[in-house]
Amino acid sequence: MSYLDNVFSHFHQHNPHQPEFTQAVHEVLETLAPLFERESKYEEHSILERIIEPERQIVFRVAWTDDTGKVRVNRGFRIQYNSALGPYKGGIRFHPTVSPSVIKFLGFEQIFKNALTGLSIGGAKGGADFDPKDKSPGEVMRFCQAYITELYRHIGATVDVPAGDIGVGSREIGYMFGQYKRITGRYEGVLTGKRPLWGGSLARTEATGYGCVYFAQHMLKARNRDMEGRICVVSGAGNVAIYTIEKLQQLGAIPVTCSDSRGFIYDKHGINLQTLQSLKEGANESLELYLKYHPDAVYTPVSDYPDGQNGVWSVPCDLAFPCATQNELNAKDAQTLLANGCFLVSEGANMPSTPEAVELFLNAKILYGPGKAANAGGVATSQLEMAQNASMQQWSFEQVDSRLKLIMENIYRQCAHTAEEFGEPNNLVLGANIAGFRRVADAMIEQGVY
Ligand code: GLU
């Protein structure tokens, strides 16, 4: 049995019934085979066995009181996955689908994503199976306070620095920051994604979406192409999708879709950002209301999606930006995109394409930027927020944005060079995984057995 087969068989025995986590581990480990053929040190130091085992997992009860006075209970998580490169760093997700498997897949991805940024941040992730959608502002506040009342003892500016993710934006970060400060008495950079008024970084809100488009620009440039006039499909309607759309428009591309869990909008004139923002940033209205302002647009509810597919990907396009959630783009969707002539996919979400879809993209030799590289701009800018907090400075929007551009360029180059080094120049999945893994693994070896 090869080293990898051994590790897989041990992994499967110890992690049953965790589909997302298994998918993420397979996706990374399978692309590392050529590295292990060249270098024996990783096997000698049992790096894989260590890297797939989280350093620490915290699971806790979150009890809070709803508006009727009833006490409600959710399950909270924080996984401190790997600290070889720096303090644990990664977002917090509030969504009913949050489970041990989802948190572990996200934490595992975060290790390599954070490594690719070239910055000093370890990998972590957190969350709760709490659905903020149908909760009042007061309920959301009390939930955030209850969540931090347990988590505060495990985090700190040089220990573990959470941020937002799905269901957690600057409002929730504010409630968590306030609670942390009240309990500990410390005003420190313990969370990122704060509002700029009280310690946040300018351009952090925009960073994931902008970074995902900068990454796409580099993929295009390598083939002497650009953004101008390209028809783009974007999924999602949160921060990542909104600022992906904004940057695409600034660069002369035409993003024609956005979506949420209920359906999607197709606007052939290009998505009107002001309308989208007004629907989503306040009350999280249905996208169907977009039609009130733009009667030419088309709304398709999820119930009308073709069998087993996501309707967004059936819109003909040049470039695709999955910016919603994991496994939102399957093999059928990938076939539809390819048949319609789509030649670039840049992932703003974490693991949005299923393994079968990724294989189709790689076989078709289109430009494919995997999430852990293409969406790393968010966490990279979080680290810039930590740097500003530690030095008690606030940088301008332009300063942060220009650093973000450089970081995304550097990530692209690392992925492309590593892919070339291993004889698969088009394969940025292999490039990202090997480049990220090497950085973490080498640091682990140098820091002794742990
Ligand atoms: N949740 C984001 C991600 O998936 C950002 C994490 C952070 O800023 O720490 O990378």
Side-chain angles (χ1 to χ4, degrees), residues 326-344:
Q326 66 267 13
N327 294 329
E328 55 164 316
L329 195 166
N330 64 23
K332 278 189 187 169
D333 298 319
Q335 274 156 355
T336 310
L337 282 168
L338 292 170
N340 284 336
C342 169
F343 63 88
L344 176 146

Side-chain angles (χ1 to χ4, degrees), residues 89-91 110 113 125 161 163-165 192 204 350 375 378-379 382:
K89 184 82 197 86
Q110 201 81 39
K113 180 196 313 198
K125 202 80 191 190
V161 184
D165 196 81
T192 61
R204 173 63 189 89
N350 289 311
N375 75 35
V379 73
S382 274

Side-chain angles (χ1 to χ4, degrees), residues 8-287:
F8 275 135
S9 98
H10 184 266
F11 172 82
H12 288 295
Q13 272 168 29
H14 288 82
N15 298 280
H17 316 303
Q18 305 207 350
E20 295 87 0
F21 182 43
T22 304
Q23 182 184 335
V25 167
H26 266 265
E27 191 261 331
V28 172
L29 266 52
E30 273 159 14
T31 57
L32 298 177
L35 177 67
F36 300 136
E37 278 162 28
R38 272 194 205 180
E39 302 231 29
S40 57
K41 66 175 175 181
Y42 302 117
E43 182 172 354
E44 280 157 27
H45 287 88
S46 302
I47 287 293
L48 274 186
E49 296 87 325
R50 286 196 265 156
I51 227 167
I52 58 179
E53 191 65 27
E55 287 178 17
R56 192 170 299 103
Q57 301 186 65
I58 304 147
V59 185
F60 51 98
R61 179 177 73 213
V62 187
W64 54 285
T65 308
D66 72 16
D67 287 345
T68 69
K70 187 173 164 34
V71 175
R72 310 266 291 259
V73 180
N74 286 92
R75 187 168 294 169
F77 301 87
R78 184 73 181 166
I79 183 158
Q80 298 178 332
Y81 220 123
N82 193 296
S83 62
L85 295 176
Y88 303 108
K89 184 82 197 86
I92 291 174
R93 177 177 292 193
F94 289 166
H95 195 269
T97 56
V98 164
S99 66
S101 171
V102 166
I103 292 294
K104 276 160 94 175
F105 118 65
L106 289 165
F108 188 71
E109 288 280 296
Q110 201 81 39
I111 305 172
F112 307 102
K113 180 196 313 198
N114 294 6
L116 282 172
T117 65
L119 305 168
S120 299
I121 35 180
K125 202 80 191 190
D129 58 355
F130 169 79
D131 190 356
K133 265 193 201 126
D134 54 358
K135 306 297 186 299
S136 72
E139 290 176 329
V140 169
M141 181 184 77
R142 292 193 293 279
F143 183 82
C144 291
Q145 291 173 338
Y147 181 85
I148 284 297
T149 300
E150 168 57 31
L151 195 65
Y152 88 92
R153 72 194 74 237
H154 307 287
I155 60 177
T158 58
V159 179
D160 180 357
V161 184
D165 196 81
I166 294 172
V168 177
S170 55
R171 176 182 68 163
E172 290 73 22
I173 294 293
Y175 296 144
M176 293 192 217
F177 184 80
Q179 185 71 349
Y180 180 86
K181 191 186 60 174
R182 276 185 291 275
I183 296 173
T184 64
R186 289 200 295 269
Y187 202 111
E188 60 174 28
V190 64
L191 290 145
T192 61
K194 304 185 288 295
R195 286 225 208 270
L197 175 67
W198 42 271
S201 174
L202 293 164
R204 173 63 189 89
T205 317
E206 291 83 354
T208 313
Y210 280 19
C212 177
V213 178
Y214 296 151
F215 194 87
Q217 269 189 302
H218 287 293
M219 291 197 284
L220 287 170
K221 211 169 136 196
R223 294 212 184 157
N224 295 317
R225 296 178 175 195
D226 65 17
M227 286 280 174
E228 189 71 36
R230 303 290 183 196
I231 304 296
C232 306
V233 295
V234 179
S235 64
N239 246 357
V240 182
I242 286 175
Y243 292 102
T244 295
I245 291 172
E246 182 172 274
K247 185 49 75 181
L248 286 171
Q249 289 177 342
Q250 287 172 7
L251 295 172
I254 310 160
V256 293
T257 62
C258 61
S259 69
D260 66 10
S261 56
R262 289 166 282 190
F264 84 95
I265 286 287
Y266 168 56
D267 186 341
K268 65 173 189 287
H269 306 296
I271 293 293
N272 185 298
L273 254 190
Q274 261 181 337
T275 308
L276 174 60
Q277 275 173 309
S278 68
L279 293 177
K280 284 295 162 187
E281 284 184 347
N284 189 25
E285 301 281 6
S286 164
L287 284 175

